[in-house]
Amino acid sequence: MPLLEIRGLTKHFGGLAAVNNLDMDVNKSEILGLIGPNGAGKTTLFNLINGFFPPTSGETRFKGDVISSLKAHEIAKKGIGRTFQQSVLFMESAVLENVFTGFHLNYKSGLLSQFLHTREARKESNDIRQKAFDILEFLGLASLKDELAKNLPHGHQRVLGVCVALACNPELLLLDEPVTGMNPQETENMINIIGQLRDRGITIVVVEHDMKVVMSLCDRIVVLNYGKIISEGSPEDIKGNREVIEAYLGREGAGANVA
Amino acid sequence: MDVALFFQCMINGLAIGGIYAVVASGFTLVLGTMKIFNFAQGEFYMLGAFVTFGVCETLHLPYVFGIIAALLAMALLGVILQRVIIRYTYGGFFHTVLATIAFATILRQTAVITFGKTDSFMYPVVKGRLELGEIILNNDKLLLIFMGIVLIILLHYFLKLKVGKAMRAVTEDQEVAGLQGINSRRIFIFTMALGCGLAGIAGALIVPVFGATADMGHGIFVKILLVIIIGGMGSMPGALLAAFIIGLIESFGYQLIGSYNELALLFCMLPILFFRPGGLLGRPLAIPE
Amino acid sequence: MKAGNKIPFMTIALILLLLLPFIIRSNYILHLIIYVAIYSILGMGFSMMWKNRLISCGQAGFFAVGAYTSTLLVTRTDLSFWWTLPLSGIASAFFAFIIFSAALRAGPLVFFGMSLVSSFIIMEVLGTVEFFGGWEGILDIPSASIGSFFFYGKISNYYFVMILLILNIVVFYALYKSRIGRAWTAIGSSVSLAEAQGINVYRYRLAASTIACFFAGVVGAFYAQYQNLLVPNSFSFQLSIYVQMYALLGGLSHFIAGPIIGAGIMVFLPEYLRVANEYQPIYFSILIILIVIFLPGGILSIPQRVPWLAGKFGKKKEESVMVNE
Ligand SMILES: Nc1ncnc2c1ncn2[C@@H]1O[C@H](COP(=O)(O)OP(=O)(O)OP(=O)(O)O)[C@@H](O)[C@H]1O
Ligand SMILES: [Mg+2]
């Protein structure tokens, strides 16, 4: 059984079908690339999966349960984490604080003991703070833990976004353009990180315009245009597919960064 | 409740509803186009009434001039508010709101000091009443309803003109509108003038019926807030519908349960909000960042 | 800052508060301080909602619900004031819960509108309905008493309100430092990220507004027995705006200190400037406009704005964000 099944998913904005009767599966422990020209509906698809928008019709199932009727916070609880195309962070908080806050779902102690700051609650908080620090260490941000998020350089903000998403222990991680605006070194680092996350058993869907990254990283690629899948297959298949090349060239002209 | 009383309530409700509709559509226009939550709208209504009273009673000019004067004066004041204060608030939505609240307070308190808090200044225009058997309808209220409906229809067609289209374009996307050659600064000024001018006209309309009172601005502002919440923020037809519904609930409520009517109004509105969070004909509007 | 550094400071502040009535010896100034405390509690409630990016225009209304609940229970039944104190809070919180559970479904803008609408309607109802005493209000409300001791004078009421204020500060502080407070901060910082991390934004916002109104209700009960009379007009929109103004003047990103400092300044300043009552709203409004334009971060943001002060205090702020627990 696929980890995530999408059946007939549709989202209309006024007259525009941003996602149009889409069927798609995401298998466990794969890295799935989602590509397509600007406005193809990639971000909208993420927003539908993680519950920011209710779909106009169709449904999504996660580990067999229907999740398309749930709210975003309930879907996060089910184990789907995401990052954003723009760096969305708790900008006024410190780096460690960002991840710590992201751990919201991991508390076992009740609200009352949290409020009274009982010994257990304090211990739990410290454990979770430690876990947050571990994540930072894993992704190489530990030395910046006291910096305010808004003061980080762009590349680090993107990494921090992934750290925060990891805090809700996702089984499925949706990454929206993780390397956009990064220099080659940062890009390299991010590719490593994504590979390591998969090795830890996290399934990953990544939206990306940089074809080199997509080709080297993904096990499988889905190409969207006008809210529909126009092609699907291994990186090699996609590379040689005329329709895909046309979709890009047709919309963006010769300047597109297609490999 | 007998037939005569029923019609009395109906007329009162429609009259109040018409006033709400005019003030609220001005408010919605400004909120929708410029994302400004103009707290001074109620005070513009109050000042409009005083301008009309001044022009008609003191200068002995015909009522029509009173209406036009109220429109122009409030349009001007609205533009001043936007150009002199709102433009310089950088702190975000809350800061802008507070600035308009402060502006409203200044207008209101000045009026209270000048005219007294509850003294009513009335300038009757039409006298007499229409008697249909038992049913008695006051002419002034009928005139008010008539004027309200005319204004709403005028506004409806006005927004279909080129200016109205430009306003919608600016509402949707300022940059794109700019590319189409629309000067959004000018549209903003115009919207502010129109929105506040409508409040002024509504004030002018109320003078012959209930008179101008220095502290009537806040009360009506609260009501039009309820109107746009229930109607659906940014939805003009929703605002009109809600305005008349609330007007009628108030007038019948007052007749049936007396002073509890406001409370009844609140608890009538809560279920609507609960089950239709976007209001009757709208969708939830986000606070602009 | 380690918690250890705060303890001596807190102790000194507490002792000072305790001795204050004997240092000041002026009933009038004590009276003003009592008002500062009342406004601080209302302002902190406003700030708690603001932490969630909710703007309440109706703190006066929920304050009134508390005041009237206590008064009606004390005068119409033989319930002791001390029972009505928490009951007023509960009544106010309950009212807030009903209204905001509907309003919050539609988002912050409707919350903003409904807070104003409901507090206006509360005032109208209190004024027009016979049962609540009408516009003339309720006179001769008995002061609170313990045995044969009555809270008549300024000094006893000073201690009473200080206990409420400190209780309020402690509870709010504990909340802000807990996971609940972190969720609120998250919501205030980015609603979408908060949701994506599994925070139930609706429920947390509702909790914040209910808690804030609970304390507004409790201090309302105190106010009623302190004033010994209630007039609906004293719970007008103006009061709600003043409450917002205190929080703004102190500094909107300081959820506890901001309202206290703002209230302290705005209660004492007009007294010393001898502003006529009638003109006060006008001067206050001009001040609001000036703050909004020139000092949107409030007084507590001045250290960060002035370069040489920022070196001394600015850094500290960042540290204290980090090291809590
Ligand atoms: N909240 C919204 N309201 C209205 N239209 C929207 C909304 N979100 C997206 N759209 C529209 O849906 C279409 C798909 O947008 P989406 O952001 O999903 O594209 P994308 O594939 O992520 O593009 P990009 O590569 O530029 O990020 C676009 O035409 C966009 O204008
Ligand atoms: Mg996108």
Side-chain angles (χ1 to χ4, degrees), chain B residues 171-199:
Chain B
T171 309
E172 246 142 56
D173 195 329
Q174 259 190 67
E175 253 171 63
V176 176
L179 293 177
Q180 292 168 358
I182 297 169
N183 180 345
S184 52
R185 202 184 75 129
R186 218 181 278 163
I187 292 295
F188 277 175
I189 292 181
F190 180 77
T191 310
M192 199 69 191
L194 180 62
C196 303
L198 279 170

Side-chain angles (χ1 to χ4, degrees), chain B residues 63-75:
Chain B
Y63 183 49
V64 186
F65 285 95
I67 299 181
I68 294 172
L71 166 68
L72 294 180
M74 291 311 114

